[in-house]
Amino acid sequence: MANCHKLFLDFNAAIALESNYKKTLRKSRDAVRDKIRKYFRDKQNGFSPKFHGQGSFMMNTIIEPLDGEFDIDDGVYFKVEVEPLQSISTFHRWICEAINGHTKQEPIDKQTCVRLVYARQYHLDFPIYYIIEGQTPYLAHKGQGWIKSDPREFIKWFNSKVDQDGQLKRIVRYLKAWSDYRKGDLPSGLIFSILAANNFVFDERDDIAFYQTLVRIKSQLEQNFACYRPTTPADENLLEDYSRTKKNYFLGQLGSFIKSAEKALSDKSSQKDACKAWQSHFGKNRFPFESEEFIEDYHQVNIRYNLKIDCLVSQKGFRTHSLIQMIFNKLPLLRNNTLKFYIKACNVPKPFQVKWKVRNVGKEAIRRNLIRGQILNDSGNHQRIESSEFYGSHFVECYIIKDNVCVAWSRIDVPISD
């Protein structure tokens, strides 16, 4: 059986938001919160807004969509003693006025929120609530009036389902990435989160857990095509408005994905065939293709000699440095440097053959489809010239082959900074 667990983890790293980006988004969100607070302080109308993040950003299931633009939901709460006399449109207008001018594009007043757009990057959605202490919040819906809704409760429910390994959150990201790639009538992230949480099957391997969860989701929907919201507004069927065409499309896509997953997990499938099966639903440019080779597949391994490799890092206008010394001194390895890997010490008696492996790791390597990992013959000078083109935790390995046996091995990590 092909094992694509590590590739799924690489895929997760490629689609999940990076921590530095999350910090930037929180900073942007907090700046808008301050602007809204100031607006109501200056207005002195008796309202003092509080905030609570909601949605996939708070649940840590958010992904980077293919079109590059995603949304962050930040609830604006007004604590009151009774239902406000002001109209819902008034509350929407106040928020629009508070954030107007923060970005080049004017705020968009939608039915359930006010949207602030950061051009070609992301947008912040501000749903508005009033809350009486000890009661369920009410959402300001321009079409339906004040309706009971508590997204905070949903986050608590979802987190109660999350496993220690974080596999459920990864599975939700995989489902969202599938929907993002298909660009068809597949469910929203909220529906996928509920379906995954209710049908989650844990396994030590993500590929198996994902497959088994897909099977359970399809089985549940075939028995009863429904997805009930587990929190306020309770028992709302989020699939109720699906047409027969949309329902059949979703079930058909689930069935197709399950067949591909079965092929990928079959004992008859090679690692490459398994990768192709997963790529047909996640996309060739996103799901990594396993190209790594291993020395034991080509030679018997009997390590009985010493081998040490190093790397000379050179950049125009700067002195050459040893990569080992740079790592020891905690100096960053930047992009666009020339890297010359070489054998620093070796006690294998000649003659012998030298082979190398360069492995790129991380989101940028997956995005560029340059994971690599093939075993390459040495050109004859016991050196390997590379360049630090993009960031990630890469590595290079060197093998000494004597009498068709790998008798020495060495590795050096290549942590290229962003």
Side-chain angles (χ1 to χ4, degrees):
M1 179 189 296
N3 187 338
C4 291
H5 172 64
K6 186 178 183 304
L7 294 180
F8 266 82
L9 296 182
D10 290 342
F11 180 51
N12 175 69
I15 61 178
L17 283 187
E18 294 181 343
S19 58
N20 288 340
Y21 201 3
K22 289 180 182 178
K23 290 178 183 178
T24 300
L25 295 176
R26 290 191 186 97
K27 188 176 180 179
S28 296
R29 181 198 64 185
D30 292 345
V32 181
R33 285 181 174 183
D34 290 341
K35 200 163 188 176
I36 295 174
R37 291 190 186 101
K38 183 179 185 304
Y39 172 87
F40 282 94
R41 283 198 304 268
D42 294 344
K43 197 171 186 64
Q44 296 183 350
N45 61 358
F47 289 105
S48 178
K50 305 294 183 182
F51 301 88
H52 196 285
Q54 60 191 59
S56 59
F57 185 75
M58 289 298 294
M59 292 161 57
N60 195 24
T61 59
I62 192 170
I63 68 166
E64 287 193 35
L66 290 169
D67 61 13
E69 184 172 338
F70 51 90
D71 64 277
I72 299 174
D73 299 318
D74 197 26
V76 186
Y77 291 79
F78 293 94
K79 189 175 181 180
V80 296
E81 294 183 356
V82 296
E83 180 179 326
L85 297 175
Q86 293 83 356
S87 68
I88 286 174
S89 295
T90 298
F91 278 92
H92 275 242
R93 176 173 56 81
W94 283 343
I95 300 301
C96 284
E97 291 175 354
I99 63 179
N100 192 27
H102 193 75
T103 62
K104 291 182 179 180
Q105 183 172 328
E106 290 186 2
I108 302 172
D109 192 2
K110 300 174 70 67
Q111 288 284 84
T112 58
C113 67
V114 174
R115 174 168 293 177
L116 182 63
V117 178
Y118 291 75
R120 298 178 182 176
Q121 297 183 53
Y122 57 93
H123 53 262
L124 299 177
D125 283 342
F126 293 96
I128 304 162
Y129 304 84
Y130 83 75
I131 182 170
I132 299 173
E133 188 171 355
Q135 298 184 19
T136 300
Y138 283 79
L139 170 68
H141 193 299
K142 292 179 68 177
Q144 301 178 22
W146 293 105
I147 59 176
K148 278 188 175 182
S149 178
D150 195 352
R152 305 169 306 169
E153 189 182 357
F154 181 81
I155 294 174
K156 291 180 182 177
W157 173 84
F158 182 79
N159 286 337
S160 71
K161 301 281 189 177
V162 170
D163 57 296
Q164 291 183 344
D165 184 57
Q167 190 174 70
L168 173 58
K169 290 186 177 183
R170 295 196 298 274
I171 284 179
V172 172
R173 293 194 198 104
Y174 302 148
L175 289 168
K176 289 183 176 182
W178 170 43
S179 177
D180 186 40
Y181 175 67
R182 280 294 175 215
K183 296 296 183 186
D185 290 327
L186 291 179
S188 65
L190 173 63
I191 293 174
F192 269 138
S193 298
I194 296 171
L195 291 174
N198 286 335
N199 295 281
F200 173 52
V201 180
F202 176 81
D203 191 272
E204 292 182 352
R205 287 172 45 182
D206 274 19
D207 51 352
I208 294 177
F210 184 68
Y211 160 68
Q212 293 179 342
T213 301
L214 284 178
V215 170
R216 287 192 58 177
I217 289 174
K218 186 171 185 289
S219 176
Q220 177 217 300
L221 293 175
E222 287 176 335
Q223 293 178 32
N224 180 23
F225 192 80
C227 177
Y228 295 102
R229 189 190 295 268
T231 56
T232 308
D235 297 328
E236 176 189 10
N237 181 8
L238 299 173
L239 293 174
E240 187 173 9
D241 294 334
Y242 265 49
S243 66
R244 180 180 295 273
T245 300
K246 199 171 179 180
K247 170 185 173 181
N248 290 338
Y249 175 79
F250 180 28
L251 290 175
Q253 289 298 313
L254 271 173
S256 174
F257 206 161
I258 289 170
K259 286 183 179 178
S260 295
E262 289 172 346
K263 178 181 179 182
L265 295 171
S266 170
D267 291 336
K268 297 179 180 179
S269 292
S270 66
Q271 195 77 359
K272 291 182 179 180
D273 288 338
C275 291
K276 290 178 180 178
W278 294 118
Q279 283 182 334
S280 65
H281 297 273
F282 289 130
K284 291 182 179 179
N285 294 329
R286 248 182 157 179
F287 191 85
F289 188 80
E290 180 55 84
S291 57
E292 185 173 9
E293 297 176 335
F294 300 93
I295 195 66
E296 55 267 30
D297 293 333
Y298 297 94
H299 302 279
Q300 181 183 349
V301 177
N302 183 10
I303 306 299
R304 57 183 188 271
Y305 295 100
N306 297 323
L307 172 65
K308 185 175 182 180
I309 62 173
D310 197 355
C311 174
L312 295 178
V313 181
S314 59
Q315 187 177 28
K316 189 175 182 180
F318 294 88
R319 184 168 60 87
T320 300
H321 291 276
S322 158
L323 178 56
I324 291 178
Q325 287 299 315
M326 290 177 65
I327 295 174
F328 179 79
N329 294 320
K330 298 181 179 180
L331 298 175
L333 173 60
L334 303 179
R335 287 178 288 177
N336 301 319
N337 284 322
T338 298
L339 308 176
K340 184 170 77 171
F341 299 91
Y342 68 98
I343 294 177
K344 187 174 184 179
C346 174
N347 64 350
V348 181
K350 295 181 179 181
F352 55 74
Q353 184 183 8
V354 177
K355 294 190 176 185
W356 300 89
K357 179 165 75 172
V358 180
R359 180 73 167 174
N360 298 325
V361 182
K363 177 180 293 190
E364 190 66 11
I366 295 172
R367 187 183 71 81
R368 297 183 182 215
N369 199 19
L370 286 174
I371 296 178
R372 299 173 65 183
Q374 298 90 346
I375 294 177
L376 306 168
N377 290 325
D378 185 81
S379 59
N381 55 4
H382 299 176
Q383 295 178 352
R384 180 81 195 169
I385 306 296
E386 297 284 338
S387 61
S388 55
E389 292 184 11
F390 53 91
Y391 67 91
S393 301
H394 317 306
F395 66 83
V396 171
E397 292 182 343
C398 181
Y399 315 98
I400 303 297
I401 311 299
K402 187 174 180 64
D403 298 327
N404 206 32
V405 176
C406 178
V407 296
W409 168 90
S410 182
R411 166 175 167 148
I412 185 170
D413 291 324
V414 188
I416 302 174
S417 301
D418 183 6

